[in-house]
Amino acid sequence: MEKKRFYASGLNFTCKRCSSCCRYDAGFVFLSEIDLEKIVSLLKTNRESFIKAYCRWVTDWKGEEVLSLREKSNKDCILWDGGCTIYNARPFQCVSFPFWESIVSSAHSWEMAASGCPGINTGELHTKSSIDECIEKRINEPIIKGESEL
């Protein structure tokens, strides 16, 4: 039997384009193979050059080495310059915010995220089904692990 989620009736969210999720705080933007292909194609570069210039290897919450975008010294995403420079090819992690497992795991986590995001609890109602699809897609589109996979 499936666990009843606090968002069974859906959650409201409309991005206010404030860029708070792209700037100001340290964080990770993990990349899947699909993310990397889209970005490399948009920027008309090759995989190795992009990774060298824009990415870093970090340890995730499971202790695994994974690929993440770098940050600028001021903690902005390396691909933010007055807005997202790769908006049409941005990583799924960015597209699916705030419908991440870590944020929708509890009402408390959702409200904590809302304290830093003016779009949470406003605007469009996203159904439980669409939220679950975001979580499932991340599972089916895993982030790139370990340098040996490149």
Side-chain angles (χ1 to χ4, degrees):
M1 187 163 108
E2 186 180 341
K3 173 179 136 181
K4 182 167 169 84
R5 297 286 198 147
F6 86 95
Y7 59 86
S9 298
L11 294 168
N12 292 90
F13 172 72
T14 296
C15 181
K16 304 294 186 194
R17 310 269 307 201
C18 70
S19 298
S20 288
C21 56
C22 310
R23 306 183 66 207
Y24 313 120
D25 289 320
F28 303 111
V29 177
F30 301 120
L31 301 176
S32 71
E33 289 291 346
I34 293 170
D35 294 331
L36 191 55
E37 287 174 25
K38 289 188 326 186
I39 296 167
V40 166
S41 176
L42 178 78
L43 297 178
K44 295 178 178 31
T45 188
N46 67 59
R47 176 185 179 97
E48 293 76 24
S49 296
F50 177 80
I51 290 171
K52 186 175 181 179
Y54 295 99
C55 299
R56 63 186 168 144
W57 291 99
V58 298
T59 304
D60 72 3
W61 60 95
K62 296 181 213 169
E64 297 177 320
E65 186 178 57
V66 295
L67 192 65
S68 175
L69 290 176
R70 292 184 192 272
E71 298 169 334
K72 296 176 184 174
S73 60
N74 65 358
K75 305 299 182 200
D76 290 358
C77 174
I78 195 163
L79 295 169
W80 193 92
D81 185 16
C84 181
T85 60
I86 59 159
Y87 189 83
N88 291 328
R90 67 196 188 283
F92 180 69
Q93 180 177 331
C94 303
V95 172
S96 63
F97 181 84
F99 303 115
W100 302 345
E101 179 64 31
S102 60
I103 294 175
V104 300
S105 62
S106 70
H108 176 73
S109 295
W110 179 255
E111 292 307 322
M112 291 295 294
S115 69
C117 175
I120 293 178
N121 294 325
T122 67
E124 181 183 351
L125 178 66
H126 297 262
T127 65
K128 178 184 181 300
S129 172
S130 69
I131 296 166
D132 288 344
E133 284 176 23
C134 283
I135 295 167
E136 189 67 26
K137 184 173 181 181
R138 173 47 83 195
I139 292 166
N140 292 328
E141 236 180 77
I143 55 180
I144 298 170
K145 295 180 184 171
E147 292 185 60
S148 61
E149 291 188 20
L150 298 174

